[in-house]
Amino acid sequence: MNFKDAVVLVTGANRGLGKALAEAAVKAGARKVYAAARTPASVDIAGVTPIKLDVTDAADIAAAVQAIPDLHILINNAGIHVVGGVTGPDALSAARAEFETNFFAPLALSHAFAPVLGRNGGGAIINILSALSWASFPTTGTYSASKAAAWGLTNGLRNELRPQNTQVLAAHMGYMDTDMTAGIDAPKSSPATIAAAIVSALEADQDEVLTDEPSRQVKAGLGAPRGFYLGEARA
């Protein structure tokens, strides 16, 4: 699947990686790029069409399907991160919020747009995941769980949509220099660099892209004698 002359929808496109992905799609020659946000007025990107889309709202999703019958590429980027672990006092409410946006929303959007993509030749779905799909830390417990679920969803979509020739790309990355990670003291990649890697991976017909060194290290650690995801051994 190529971006050139394609119709693209990017969720959560008003900032961070979503904005970078919308800009990268325009740069790659997309015919039309819909930049989705809860508040379309917050989208400030040259060459795109802002569209109202709360990814947790069924009515907004249905309206988007009606508005974009010629879609070729769906990029499920919108996500939230509530800092905290699975045993914290707010773990249940945090998990529910994160799963609504990070798992159920991509499921709902993919389910709604899959027939559209099929009618338009197959197209592609890109799910923005994370190196935290494969690892969990005390401050990312519920977020990691939601991204792990989204990884499983992505693999399911790939298997089930293969007959209609829909490419499904899983994109993993470590920390990026965005509002979401403003309070985290760690090396961070540029959203523009990550977006360019994702565009290149889709056009190279890949099913998975590890966009930076942290994601590559975590993935490699899954096969270690003590898998990275197991954390430190008990004393």
Side-chain angles (χ1 to χ4, degrees):
M1 184 67 213
N2 291 317
F3 277 84
K4 184 172 176 57
D5 297 325
V7 176
V8 182
L9 170 62
V10 184
T11 67
N14 58 328
R15 60 180 183 171
L17 181 59
K19 181 177 181 179
L21 284 164
E23 292 171 337
V26 171
K27 184 177 179 180
R31 172 158 52 91
K32 193 163 190 177
V33 178
Y34 289 89
R38 287 189 177 94
T39 306
S42 66
V43 175
D44 181 20
I45 308 169
V48 308
T49 300
I51 183 172
K52 181 183 182 300
L53 178 56
D54 177 344
V55 297
T56 66
D57 188 296
D60 275 11
I61 292 173
V65 171
Q66 291 298 313
I68 318 174
D70 50 351
L71 187 70
H72 300 111
I73 301 174
L74 167 64
I75 305 181
N76 286 313
N77 165 76
I80 63 170
H81 177 202
V82 181
V83 176
V86 295
T87 61
D90 300 320
L92 289 177
S93 61
R96 289 191 177 102
E98 287 168 327
F99 268 80
E100 281 295 328
T101 300
N102 300 346
F103 173 76
F104 286 109
L107 171 59
L109 280 155
S110 299
H111 187 272
F113 274 107
V116 176
L117 298 175
R119 288 193 297 270
N120 294 330
I125 296 173
I126 302 174
N127 283 346
I128 304 304
L129 303 175
S130 171
L132 293 172
S133 304
W134 301 314
S136 183
F137 300 99
T139 58
T140 71
T142 55
Y143 176 80
S144 293
S146 71
K147 285 298 187 177
W151 179 45
L153 165 64
T154 304
N155 295 331
L157 288 169
R158 186 180 302 109
N159 291 333
E160 294 183 30
L161 296 180
R162 186 175 288 112
Q164 72 171 36
N165 199 36
T166 297
Q167 181 182 353
V168 178
L169 175 65
H172 296 270
M173 67 289 300
Y175 290 124
M176 292 177 290
D177 189 11
T178 65
D179 293 345
M180 185 183 289
T181 65
I184 298 173
D185 182 16
K188 300 172 187 177
S189 298
S190 159
T193 300
I194 301 299
I198 292 169
V199 168
S200 295
L202 188 78
E203 297 190 337
D205 198 30
Q206 295 180 16
D207 294 323
E208 178 179 84
V209 56
L210 309 177
T211 61
D212 56 12
E213 189 58 29
S215 60
R216 290 187 284 271
Q217 289 177 351
V218 173
K219 178 69 180 296
L222 297 180
R226 180 176 177 82
F228 184 86
Y229 56 91
L230 294 173
E232 296 181 3
R234 293 186 298 277

